[in-house]
Amino acid sequence: MKVLPHLLYYIFMKFPIKKNKILFIGYYGSQYGCSPKYLSEHIVKTRPDWDVVWAFTRPEIYNIRGVRKVKYWSLHYFYELYTSRVVVTNYRMTEDYRKRKGQYYVMTWHSSLRLKKIEGDAEDSLPEHYVKMAKEDSKKIDLLLSGCKFSDEIFRRAFWYDGKILSSGTPRSDIFYVPDSKERANMIKKQLHLSSDTKILLYAPTFRKGDKLDCYDLNYDRLRCVLEHVKGGTWKILVRLHPHLLHFSRDLFKGYDIVDVTKYDDIQELLLISDILITDYSSLMFDFAETRRTCFLYVPDLIDYQKQDRSLYFDIKDLPFTISLTQDELECQLGSFDEQKYVNDINKFLRDVGSYEDGHASQRVTKYIEKWIQRKE
């Protein structure tokens, strides 16, 4: 444990906990997105009497109604951290966080259903220091959110956690069910300088060990031409690389007419505006399944990936998504895609995993937190 957080804990624990204050942190202060964002939005809208605080590494770039901001890892941050009734994150808190008596810690995780195995199910492939940190973090958690019955079982087994798992659905998926989703989608398109009638293909691959790049070898201009030929309309391709690949984006996209959205905070908003998703081994496929829109898995390195990377919860060939090993295959499948069969397969898959998603996850979690806010310690 670092000396400063340890010292500040003892200083700020002398200050009273503010019962209606909730601190949100998205991936070490780097983002306003994922489930913390959608839970926060719901709380700001429905519980204006609660004090909502967000910690950011760059708070000056965010303008969020109804929210107070604090710079992550500043003195002010530690004051807010140790005087909040509830702390909400989507990542592992390090050993620098010591939970006070009377505080509650909500872990939303950064996806509910995953293809790649996580935590204890993949312990042999994780760094020793991470496993140690994760086990300590799980001891502090008071509530872990789950989006489906399949994930209930994974979290209970693999998360080194024996506390409450709330079968609520994931707040980040609520965006796909709200009545004003079309209006919100048009606003997002406008922010990206796209017209409301532009059709969008989002390519969002995950990273590989060693930052291998040859698996991202799509010819985007050719792909767009195929889309406009077989689907009609005007198409734009958005590409969102994993943050680990940010410094490679210039070389990968050189000469192509695409929109690089790698730095875009909220992947859920990008999914909302997309007509088609192309990914590989990313859990985004399961989020996008909630929309029932078309998803393709472009996996030119499938054999090597299964041998060298983390093991999987599903046989990728059993998933309800079309698999392509080459761009030629992908383009052929775009032209012969059976949409009704795809929707039927998606619905069956969501039933099989026991999905809880219905657009009310944030509401359920807020009601649970309400009990803590009202509790007398």
Side-chain angles (χ1 to χ4, degrees), residues 93-111:
M93 293 284 274
T94 68
E95 64 274 10
D96 296 318
Y97 170 53
R98 300 182 67 184
K99 192 175 71 174
R100 287 180 64 177
K101 182 179 179 182
Q103 280 192 319
Y104 298 91
Y105 171 21
V106 179
M107 161 63 82
T108 71
W109 200 231
H110 38 271
S111 66

Side-chain angles (χ1 to χ4, degrees), residues 142-325:
D142 295 286
L143 188 66
L144 183 60
L145 308 187
S146 173
C148 64
K149 186 175 180 180
F150 188 85
S151 291
D152 289 352
E153 298 165 0
I154 291 174
F155 288 157
R156 178 62 67 204
R157 180 185 66 248
F159 226 75
W160 303 293
Y161 175 71
D162 58 4
K164 172 68 176 179
I165 295 176
L166 189 64
S167 302
S168 56
T170 47
R172 63 186 264 169
S173 289
D174 287 350
I175 189 174
F176 304 132
Y177 294 88
V178 292
D180 65 344
S181 60
K182 187 172 182 179
E183 291 80 1
R184 185 163 186 166
N186 287 336
M187 288 178 60
I188 298 164
K189 284 185 175 182
K190 187 175 181 180
Q191 292 171 13
L192 294 169
H193 308 292
L194 300 170
S195 64
S196 60
D197 59 349
T198 299
K199 296 183 179 182
I200 293 175
L201 181 147
L202 174 64
Y203 177 48
T206 190
F207 71 101
R208 271 56 164 188
K209 287 181 178 179
D211 291 336
K212 296 177 182 177
L213 302 179
D214 54 350
C215 50
Y216 314 115
D217 60 350
L218 285 173
N219 183 315
Y220 302 107
D221 293 340
R222 192 176 106 188
L223 184 59
R224 189 185 67 255
C225 288
V226 171
L227 281 168
E228 292 180 349
H229 176 70
V230 301
K231 299 291 186 182
T234 301
W235 285 79
K236 199 70 177 179
I237 296 179
L238 278 55
V239 184
R240 191 180 196 271
L241 299 177
H242 191 279
H244 290 178
L245 299 171
L246 181 62
H247 53 296
F248 296 114
S249 61
R250 181 176 296 180
D251 293 334
L252 288 172
F253 305 149
K254 189 174 181 180
Y256 286 117
D257 180 21
I258 60 97
V259 180
D260 181 3
V261 288
T262 301
K263 292 184 179 180
Y264 197 92
D265 251 8
D266 188 355
I267 185 63
Q268 303 305 108
E269 290 188 344
L270 299 179
L271 294 177
L272 179 67
I273 67 173
S274 297
D275 298 279
I276 296 176
L277 171 68
I278 297 177
T279 186
D280 42 29
Y281 314 103
S282 170
S283 61
L284 292 178
M285 67 179 81
F286 301 122
D287 289 50
F288 199 66
E290 298 294 332
T291 71
R292 274 66 172 182
R293 297 182 207 140
T294 307
C295 175
F296 293 94
L297 305 185
Y298 177 62
V299 287
D301 60 341
L302 177 60
I303 295 174
D304 288 342
Y305 187 89
Q306 290 178 320
K307 287 180 180 178
Q308 299 174 15
D309 218 291
R310 199 178 299 180
S311 54
L312 309 177
Y313 284 116
F314 302 96
D315 184 332
I316 196 168
K317 296 176 182 177
D318 292 337
L319 294 173
F321 311 106
T322 301
I323 298 172
S324 305
L325 301 180

Side-chain angles (χ1 to χ4, degrees), residues 125-142:
S125 64
L126 297 173
E128 185 177 340
H129 72 273
Y130 176 84
V131 172
K132 180 181 178 182
M133 178 192 72
K135 288 180 177 179
E136 287 302 312
D137 179 65
S138 285
K139 294 177 184 177
K140 304 169 194 172
I141 297 171
D142 295 286

Side-chain angles (χ1 to χ4, degrees), residues 311-342:
S311 54
L312 309 177
Y313 284 116
F314 302 96
D315 184 332
I316 196 168
K317 296 176 182 177
D318 292 337
L319 294 173
F321 311 106
T322 301
I323 298 172
S324 305
L325 301 180
T326 67
Q327 180 156 351
D328 287 341
E329 282 186 356
L330 177 60
E331 292 170 359
C332 181
Q333 289 160 353
L334 278 168
S336 60
F337 187 73
D338 186 337
E339 186 170 346
Q340 188 55 59
K341 180 182 183 304
Y342 172 78

Side-chain angles (χ1 to χ4, degrees), residues 54-155:
W54 270 84
F56 296 114
T57 54
R58 297 179 62 198
E60 69 277 3
I61 69 174
Y62 296 99
N63 182 20
I64 310 167
R65 182 177 297 179
V67 167
R68 292 194 299 112
K69 299 176 296 180
V70 62
K71 185 172 178 58
Y72 182 68
W73 213 250
S74 66
L75 186 66
H76 190 186
Y77 161 76
F78 284 102
Y79 168 77
E80 301 290 2
L81 175 65
Y82 289 121
T83 57
S84 291
R85 179 68 149 186
V86 181
V87 177
V88 180
T89 77
N90 64 341
Y91 67 99
R92 288 292 193 181
M93 293 284 274
T94 68
E95 64 274 10
D96 296 318
Y97 170 53
R98 300 182 67 184
K99 192 175 71 174
R100 287 180 64 177
K101 182 179 179 182
Q103 280 192 319
Y104 298 91
Y105 171 21
V106 179
M107 161 63 82
T108 71
W109 200 231
H110 38 271
S111 66
S112 175
L113 186 59
R114 297 184 68 86
L115 180 60
K116 293 180 286 187
K117 290 189 176 181
I118 60 168
E119 304 297 277
D121 286 346
E123 185 169 350
D124 291 344
S125 64
L126 297 173
E128 185 177 340
H129 72 273
Y130 176 84
V131 172
K132 180 181 178 182
M133 178 192 72
K135 288 180 177 179
E136 287 302 312
D137 179 65
S138 285
K139 294 177 184 177
K140 304 169 194 172
I141 297 171
D142 295 286
L143 188 66
L144 183 60
L145 308 187
S146 173
C148 64
K149 186 175 180 180
F150 188 85
S151 291
D152 289 352
E153 298 165 0
I154 291 174
F155 288 157

